[in-house]
Amino acid sequence: MDLKDNAQLLFFVESAPIGICILNANSLVVEMLNDKFLEIAGKPKESILNKWYWEPFAEVKDFYQNALKNVAETGIAYHADEVQMTLLRHGKADEIFVTFVYAPIKDSNGNISKIAVWVLENTTQVHERKKVDQANRALEKERDRLNEFFMKAPAGICLWTGPNLVYEMVNPAYQKILARRNLLGRPILEAVPELKGAPLIDSMLDTYHNGTPFEVHELYVPIADYEGGPTVDRYFTFNYVPRRNVNNEIDGVFNFVFEVTEQVLSRKKIEDSEKHFRHLSDLVPAKISNALPSGEVTFFNQKWLDFAGMNFEDLRDFGYHQMMHPDEISDFQAGLEQAAASGQPHVSEMRFKNTEGKYIWHLNIASPILDENGQIKMWVGSTTDIQKLKEEDQRKADFVSLLSHELKTPVTSIKGYIQLMQREIKKNNLQKEKIESGLDRVDRLVKQLTGLVSDMLDLSRIETGRLDLNRKTVVLNTLVTEVVEDFRMTAPERDITITQSEELVTQLDHDKIAQVLINLISNAIKYSLAKSPINIEISKSDQNGMVSITDQGIGIAEKDHKKIFERFYRVEGKDEKHFSGFGIGLYLAHSIIERHGGKLTIQSKPQKGSTFTFSIPLSDS
């Protein structure tokens, strides 16, 4: 086909999938243009057709007028690859990227009669590539200078003729796609045998036989880099349009093709990276979320979905703001505004409602992610459950408050008894009984205070791993009897019995195990009715000495059994609130027994009493 023929040229221009505009070489008046050119120009057809070219494109005239003039004068084509320009489109200025060519068209006498403007908008591709890799934005800018209008088009173009689709014409861009192959004069399935059986061939033949245009984007086609070589994964965007002869009969198929392998693989890398991020975010213990600058959430990790008891769509539509505690929403919104202004993360402690309707404390970090222009392109949220830390802080605060009270009580009493005895001493009729009674009370209070200080020291040693044991050979039965005798002196109203079968000898820290016994027996006395019996059983199980302390007190619910030996833990209830304590006695006892290689266990039911049992490994016989 002679593309210098106006009718054929018009057909080719109108059917081409890229923007084409034909100018008179002398006047630069627009004579032909296609819809794709109008789409890129963003201007009505009547404002361009039959107009001096620079009239509708005055905004870029200063940049390219000389280049176009030079093409008309010298016949040397001008090519610009992915240039950025500001174009008035649809009444407003748009920053776009285009690849275009000013190519001369010669008449039969060899004179330049027309100039073809080929335009391909690259804005989307450029922006996509920028997202993928900042370092690889620039494409190769040097291309072979265009000498002929058709052969130098930026798109890969070929012409197949006949039912066997024989290559009649191939431009350099197309040849580049199928490098190191001889194409001209060969049927496509001979030149590119990898396509045998591919649906693409059926589409080509349909276009040839029926004139059906065909367009497909980012199609996966495994093709070798060279003829006879191994196939590689490649992606292409194709356009097939029929070529008709002077009798309007189809005698060939034009193929416009772009290889988009780099863009597709880059996008797949992004998608794979996103999948990897999502997988990692599901593994971390924190709740992770992403949101657009508008606040629309685009991602919740699995921890968020599990916490809310919703799928992504439901949680997104419900809005996780609905899960916030109402008292904290206004401060959170103000913090986001400050973070947006400063570009620094907003860190706050907040409560979120779980599936049970309970508000749970979290450490929430909302981080604005900025683009190269300093504008927020997304928000990343990291929300970590700190409920246990909050509860621990509260227990510590309660512990300090209770410790202060417990220390003041014996100190105040000691001070009072000392003042009482001082007054008695000054009297002429000194009452010896009052002084003796006061001294006995002071002695008991000092022991109570000493025990309290000892517990605090042991607690500190356990926390720092410095609780040392002074082991020596001890008869366990004797140690238990000694401690019980002390209690019989201080609490004579209590019936404390000891049941034992045999003498048990082992290596242990006498004072530490005595401390454990004192703690367990004291609790049995404290949490049971006056004069109710307490039984202590000494026995042997395998190679362990066993000591059980049983009372008939208020008992402990099963739900508290696992927590009863935790530091600062105190059972809460209407019966327990009348008893003072720090919640460290059982923790210390449990820690001391474990340091001896034994175990401390509990059996208890509310109002049925409790049995605490500890085991100590016995010495070898």
Side-chain angles (χ1 to χ4, degrees):
M1 181 186 74
D2 187 358
L3 292 179
K4 297 169 186 177
D5 177 83
N6 280 345
Q8 293 290 349
L9 183 58
L10 177 59
F11 168 77
F12 186 79
V13 168
E14 291 178 344
S15 63
I18 63 176
I20 300 177
C21 177
I22 305 299
L23 313 179
N24 182 287
N26 296 320
S27 63
L28 300 184
V29 170
V30 177
E31 294 181 345
M32 298 181 195
L33 71 167
N34 63 2
D35 290 341
K36 193 66 177 180
F37 187 89
L38 289 174
E39 178 185 329
I40 297 171
K43 303 174 188 292
K45 186 174 183 178
E46 59 271 16
S47 70
I48 301 176
L49 190 62
N50 299 321
K51 304 289 186 182
W52 182 49
Y53 185 71
W54 296 117
E55 181 178 337
F57 298 107
E59 60 267 33
V60 294
K61 172 185 173 184
D62 291 342
F63 299 99
Y64 301 109
Q65 184 179 20
N66 288 338
L68 185 58
K69 180 181 177 182
N70 188 59
V71 173
E73 292 175 351
T74 66
I76 299 174
Y78 177 80
H79 175 271
D81 187 26
E82 290 189 354
V83 295
Q84 184 177 7
M85 63 174 60
T86 302
L87 201 62
L88 291 175
R89 304 202 298 182
H90 308 293
K92 66 177 183 179
D94 277 350
E95 292 289 338
I96 64 172
F97 290 85
V98 294
T99 293
F100 66 91
V101 176
Y102 298 149
I105 302 175
K106 298 180 180 180
D107 59 20
S108 59
N109 297 319
N111 298 317
I112 301 172
S113 62
K114 302 183 187 302
I115 297 177
V117 180
W118 292 77
V119 183
L120 175 66
E121 184 172 355
N122 309 111
T123 306
T124 300
Q125 293 90 327
V126 171
H127 289 168
E128 181 71 18
R129 192 164 60 249
K130 283 184 178 181
K131 292 178 183 177
V132 174
D133 188 352
Q134 294 285 349
N136 294 322
R137 291 182 182 179
L139 293 173
E140 183 183 62
K141 293 197 174 180
E142 281 299 321
R143 295 188 180 182
D144 295 333
R145 291 298 177 182
L146 303 179
N147 295 317
E148 295 292 332
F149 157 67
F150 189 78
M151 297 299 293
K152 298 299 180 180
I157 302 175
C158 75
L159 173 62
W160 296 305
T161 58
N164 291 326
L165 302 177
V166 176
Y167 281 102
E168 180 179 299
M169 184 279 299
V170 174
N171 76 343
Y174 190 95
Q175 182 66 65
K176 186 177 180 181
I177 292 172
L178 297 174
R180 298 167 61 182
R181 297 185 194 233
N182 296 320
L183 299 175
L184 292 177
R186 301 174 69 188
I188 185 170
L189 291 180
E190 178 186 322
V192 193
E194 301 98 302
L195 296 180
K196 288 181 180 178
L200 272 179
I201 299 298
D202 295 335
S203 300
M204 298 172 192
L205 293 172
D206 184 47
T207 301
Y208 178 81
H209 291 295
N210 303 313
T212 307
F214 176 77
E215 180 177 352
V216 63
H217 295 274
E218 298 183 352
L219 181 67
Y220 167 68
V221 183
I223 294 183
D225 286 332
Y226 57 91
E227 189 168 355
T231 59
V232 295
D233 294 342
R234 299 170 73 179
Y235 296 83
F236 300 91
T237 291
F238 294 100
N239 278 84
Y240 304 148
V241 293
R243 184 187 75 167
R244 296 180 183 271
N245 59 25
V246 292
N247 297 318
N248 201 34
E249 297 169 340
I250 299 173
D251 64 356
V253 175
F254 279 113
N255 176 23
F256 298 86
V257 57
F258 298 94
E259 181 166 7
V260 290
T261 302
E262 180 182 349
Q263 294 93 319
V264 172
L265 293 181
S266 297
R267 189 179 68 248
K268 287 182 178 292
K269 286 182 181 179
I270 293 176
E271 292 170 352
D272 290 342
S273 178
E274 289 178 351
K275 289 179 182 178
H276 183 62
F277 161 76
R278 291 173 185 268
H279 179 67
L280 289 179
S281 68
D282 285 340
L283 295 178
V284 299
K287 301 173 182 68
I288 306 297
S289 61
N290 291 139
L292 300 176
S294 63
E296 179 185 351
V297 179
T298 58
F299 173 73
F300 289 110
N301 74 341
Q302 193 61 43
K303 294 296 188 298
W304 255 125
L305 302 181
D306 293 342
F307 181 82
M310 303 180 189
N311 59 33
F312 171 76
E313 289 75 17
D314 290 342
L315 182 55
R316 177 196 61 196
D317 296 340
F318 174 71
Y320 86 112
H321 283 69
Q322 302 295 325
M323 300 170 65
M324 294 180 185
H325 195 285
D327 295 346
E328 291 146 14
I329 292 178
S330 59
D331 289 343
F332 177 68
Q333 291 173 335
L336 287 185
E337 292 177 2
Q338 184 177 358
S342 66
Q344 298 299 313
H346 171 59
V347 182
S348 59
E349 293 184 357
M350 303 175 60
R351 287 166 287 180
F352 291 91
K353 186 164 55 177
N354 63 13
T355 55
E356 299 174 357
K358 182 180 178 181
Y359 284 102
I360 304 298
W361 279 104
H362 288 78
L363 177 65
N364 191 61
I365 303 175
S367 300
I369 307 301
L370 309 181
D371 61 17
E372 60 271 19
N373 299 317
Q375 300 298 312
I376 296 176
K377 62 180 180 180
M378 68 182 299
W379 290 87
V380 174
S382 174
T383 308
T384 305
D385 187 336
I386 58 170
Q387 182 70 23
K388 290 185 178 179
L389 294 178
K390 281 285 189 179
E391 292 172 353
E392 181 75 6
D393 289 343
Q394 185 60 48
R395 284 197 293 268
K396 288 181 179 179
D398 294 342
F399 169 74
V400 171
S401 175
L402 189 59
L403 176 62
S404 176
H405 175 268
E406 291 291 329
L407 286 174
K408 287 179 180 178
T409 299
V411 170
T412 301
S413 297
I414 291 172
K415 183 177 180 181
Y417 278 106
I418 290 175
Q419 290 174 345
L420 174 64
M421 289 185 290
Q422 287 175 337
R423 288 196 300 268
E424 286 297 322
I425 291 173
K426 292 178 181 179
K427 292 180 180 179
N428 293 327
N429 55 342
L430 184 146
Q431 298 185 30
K432 182 179 178 182
E433 294 79 7
K434 286 188 176 181
I435 294 177
E436 288 178 346
S437 175
L439 287 172
D440 288 341
R441 182 58 181 161
V442 167
D443 183 59
R444 287 195 298 271
L445 291 170
V446 168
K447 288 181 179 179
Q448 178 184 345
L449 193 59
T450 301
L452 183 61
V453 172
S454 178
D455 284 349
M456 295 303 102
L457 291 173
D458 283 346
L459 177 64
S460 175
R461 294 186 184 106
I462 290 172
E463 293 298 298
T464 56
R466 294 185 291 108
L467 182 64
D468 297 324
L469 299 180
N470 181 23
R471 292 179 183 267
K472 59 184 179 180
T473 302
V474 173
V475 178
L476 187 58
N477 312 61
T478 304
L479 173 57
V480 173
T481 302
E482 290 175 356
V483 174
V484 170
E485 289 301 320
D486 289 341
F487 274 100
R488 286 172 175 164
M489 293 291 294
T490 58
E493 73 282 0
R494 287 286 180 168
D495 180 15
I496 305 176
T497 61
I498 300 175
T499 303
Q500 52 188 319
S501 58
E502 59 181 298
E503 187 176 87
L504 305 177
V505 180
T506 186
Q507 295 286 322
L508 52 77
D509 186 314
H510 178 280
D511 293 341
K512 295 301 182 194
I513 298 301
Q515 181 181 350
V516 171
L517 288 164
I518 291 170
N519 182 282
L520 297 178
I521 297 172
S522 296
N523 283 349
I525 294 173
K526 182 194 301 186
Y527 293 107
S528 59
L529 295 175
K531 298 184 179 180
S532 64
I534 295 171
N535 181 63
I536 301 174
E537 181 181 358
I538 305 171
S539 61
K540 180 180 179 182
S541 177
D542 296 329
Q543 295 302 312
N544 293 305
M546 312 292 292
V547 179
S548 298
I549 295 92
T550 302
D551 63 61
Q552 298 178 7
I554 62 175
I556 300 170
E558 186 175 356
K559 67 181 180 64
D560 294 311
H561 288 187
K562 291 184 178 180
K563 297 182 179 180
I564 196 70
F565 300 117
E566 293 180 3
R567 180 187 56 173
F568 304 139
Y569 185 82
R570 299 187 70 232
V571 177
E572 296 181 355
K574 63 180 182 179
D575 295 323
E576 291 81 357
K577 67 181 181 180
H578 303 295
F579 302 97
S580 62
F582 302 112
I584 63 170
L586 290 176
Y587 170 74
L588 292 173
H590 186 267
S591 299
I592 290 171
I593 294 300
E594 280 196 337
R595 289 296 299 273
H596 279 81
K599 291 183 179 180
L600 176 59
T601 60
I602 178 177
Q603 288 182 317
S604 181
K605 291 183 179 180
Q607 309 308 321
K608 299 294 183 180
S610 303
T611 297
F612 284 88
T613 302
F614 68 82
S615 63
I616 295 289
L618 297 175
S619 301
D620 295 335
S621 300

